[in-house]
Amino acid sequence: GDEAKTKCYEADNATVEWCALKGMNASSVWPYFVNTNAQMVSELFGRKPIAWNDAYTDDGNDAMDPSLTFMWWTTPDYGEQFRKCATEDGHKVIAASGHPLYLSLGEYGNNAIYEYDPCDCENLNCVNTTEGCENVLGMSTAFWTSDFDASNLLGALFPRAIVSAERMWSSPDLKDYTNSSRASPAVTDRLGDMRCRLLQRGVPVLPIYSTWDVTYAGSRPGEAGSCMSQ
């Protein structure tokens, strides 16, 4: 469930009548709906139900089925509830922070995406407790295509989607954007190499050293040079 307008239930006569029979109101219908679907997913299909954090933050909280995993679109307004959901209420969570994991928003460069860790960060989009981090299943990158078309879609996705993929599928110890070791080159070297290969294949990958600006759906190279160093 996402962005349900529960007040609309009060404007529908059939729903109002149903609520009266069930002893519910507009606020309690939403948790009932989400929990009923969660139970169906678990019992009939043997799957683990996942819901957007709206189901928790909008009239839900303690009323939600304990089996629910929440995908958290976290903003400073929701940060405290993010921690409570994972730490106090014990729900499994997936961090889908709008800052910086929504690639279609804001001005988030490769380093901000690479170094974000919901279990080790300083802003409000964090859990930062051992107990809570045990319930963090991972992270998810999102992209709203409504503001993009074929002319700028791939450039908006790459290389930042590549950055997030490496970060999410790597060890938590690989957390610094400029990280390097004897076993592997620095992140920027690997990313530059990937950019060159994709450019050779006709994929319009943006420069790796410039900050993404959603206003222009892109970034500038900054200076002339190799695809490895822009």
Side-chain angles (χ1 to χ4, degrees), residues 76-119:
D77 294 334
Y78 286 142
E80 193 63 40
Q81 290 176 296
F82 180 38
R83 285 191 290 273
K84 181 178 183 296
C85 182
T87 304
E88 298 179 23
D89 294 344
H91 285 285
K92 300 297 183 182
V93 297
I94 299 170
S97 174
H99 311 276
L101 299 181
Y102 267 63
L103 301 185
S104 52
L105 303 177
E107 298 179 0
Y108 312 120
N110 298 317
N111 59 332
I113 295 170
Y114 200 89
E115 295 181 352
Y116 171 69
D117 184 341
C119 288

Side-chain angles (χ1 to χ4, degrees), residues 90-164:
H91 285 285
K92 300 297 183 182
V93 297
I94 299 170
S97 174
H99 311 276
L101 299 181
Y102 267 63
L103 301 185
S104 52
L105 303 177
E107 298 179 0
Y108 312 120
N110 298 317
N111 59 332
I113 295 170
Y114 200 89
E115 295 181 352
Y116 171 69
D117 184 341
C119 288
D120 184 15
C121 55
E122 297 179 356
N123 60 35
L124 290 176
N125 303 328
C126 310
V127 176
N128 281 359
T129 66
T130 301
E131 181 183 3
C133 286
E134 290 178 352
N135 288 324
V136 178
L137 300 182
M139 298 185 287
S140 175
T141 297
F143 189 96
W144 292 347
T145 58
S146 56
D147 296 329
F148 299 83
D149 62 16
S151 69
N152 58 8
L153 176 60
L154 292 178
L157 282 170
F158 301 115
R160 294 176 307 138
I162 300 170
V163 172
S164 63

Side-chain angles (χ1 to χ4, degrees), residues 31-101:
Y32 173 85
F33 172 81
V34 176
N35 287 337
T36 300
N37 279 274
Q39 291 167 8
M40 290 173 60
V41 169
S42 299
E43 297 172 6
L44 298 181
F45 303 104
R47 302 289 185 177
K48 294 181 179 180
I50 300 177
W52 277 106
N53 62 262
D54 300 58
Y56 181 89
T57 58
D58 297 350
D59 305 315
N61 293 13
D62 298 336
M64 303 316 301
D65 190 302
S67 70
L68 273 166
T69 293
F70 288 102
M71 179 85 76
W72 270 86
W73 147 266
T74 46
T75 67
D77 294 334
Y78 286 142
E80 193 63 40
Q81 290 176 296
F82 180 38
R83 285 191 290 273
K84 181 178 183 296
C85 182
T87 304
E88 298 179 23
D89 294 344
H91 285 285
K92 300 297 183 182
V93 297
I94 299 170
S97 174
H99 311 276
L101 299 181

